[in-house]
């Protein structure tokens, strides 16, 4: 790069890439308020503490479970959500601290 050229934060670039997909962005928005956006009948864990089970997310979004899992894995790699296993089920919740840091970095960058 030329002298004085901008070098973006790689974590920010990865997060923005993950959020560029409208379904992944929608999932992150829904996970902000899980009780409002998901039918949690039969939930085996507290969605605020542990997160929302992939089966509940799949039912809401209407895509194949494998597709939803791939989208959530991408959000996890970007540090936007955390996964927790409860028995044989994986639950996802937002990583609010990480999201706040990324938003602050974005604010400083732009």
């Amino acid at each position: 790069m030329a002298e004085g050229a901008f070098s973006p934060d790689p974590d920010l670039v990865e997060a923005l890439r993950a959020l560029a997909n409208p379904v992944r962005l929608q999932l992150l928005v829904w996970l902000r308020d899980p009780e409002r956006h998901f039918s949690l009948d039969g939930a085996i864990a507290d969605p605020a503490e542990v997160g929302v089970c992939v089966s509940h997310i799949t039912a809401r979004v209407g895509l194949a479970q494998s597709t939803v899992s791939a989208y959530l894995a991408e959000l996890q790699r970007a540090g936007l959500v955390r996964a927790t296993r409860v028995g044989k089920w994986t639950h996802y919740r937002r990583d609010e601290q990480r999201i706040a840091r990324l938003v602050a970095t974005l604010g400083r960058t732009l």
Side-chain angles (χ1 to χ4, degrees):
M1 281 192 174
E3 185 177 334
F6 173 72
S7 179
D9 180 302
D11 291 338
L12 180 59
V13 171
E14 187 173 5
L16 291 173
R17 189 175 295 128
L19 294 174
N21 176 289
V23 175
R24 288 192 297 258
L25 179 58
Q26 183 67 68
L27 292 174
L28 195 64
V29 169
W30 285 340
L31 287 171
R32 187 174 194 169
D33 188 0
E35 291 87 357
R36 178 176 169 208
H37 295 289
F38 297 98
S39 173
L40 299 171
D41 296 336
I44 61 171
D46 179 358
E49 293 281 321
V50 179
V52 179
C53 181
V54 171
S55 63
H56 290 105
I57 298 170
T58 299
R60 174 71 163 100
V61 76
L63 297 172
Q65 184 271 327
S66 59
T67 302
V68 173
S69 291
Y71 284 160
L72 290 164
E74 182 71 22
L75 291 171
Q76 184 180 12
R77 279 191 296 277
L80 299 168
V81 298
R82 290 183 179 202
T84 303
R85 294 283 294 183
V86 178
K88 63 180 182 176
W89 294 278
T90 304
H91 291 68
Y92 287 90
R93 67 181 172 88
R94 291 166 46 111
D95 186 336
E96 297 296 348
Q97 289 181 335
R98 173 92 165 144
I99 291 169
R101 285 195 310 270
L102 289 167
V103 168
T105 301
L106 183 62
R108 287 190 308 273
T109 303
L110 297 180

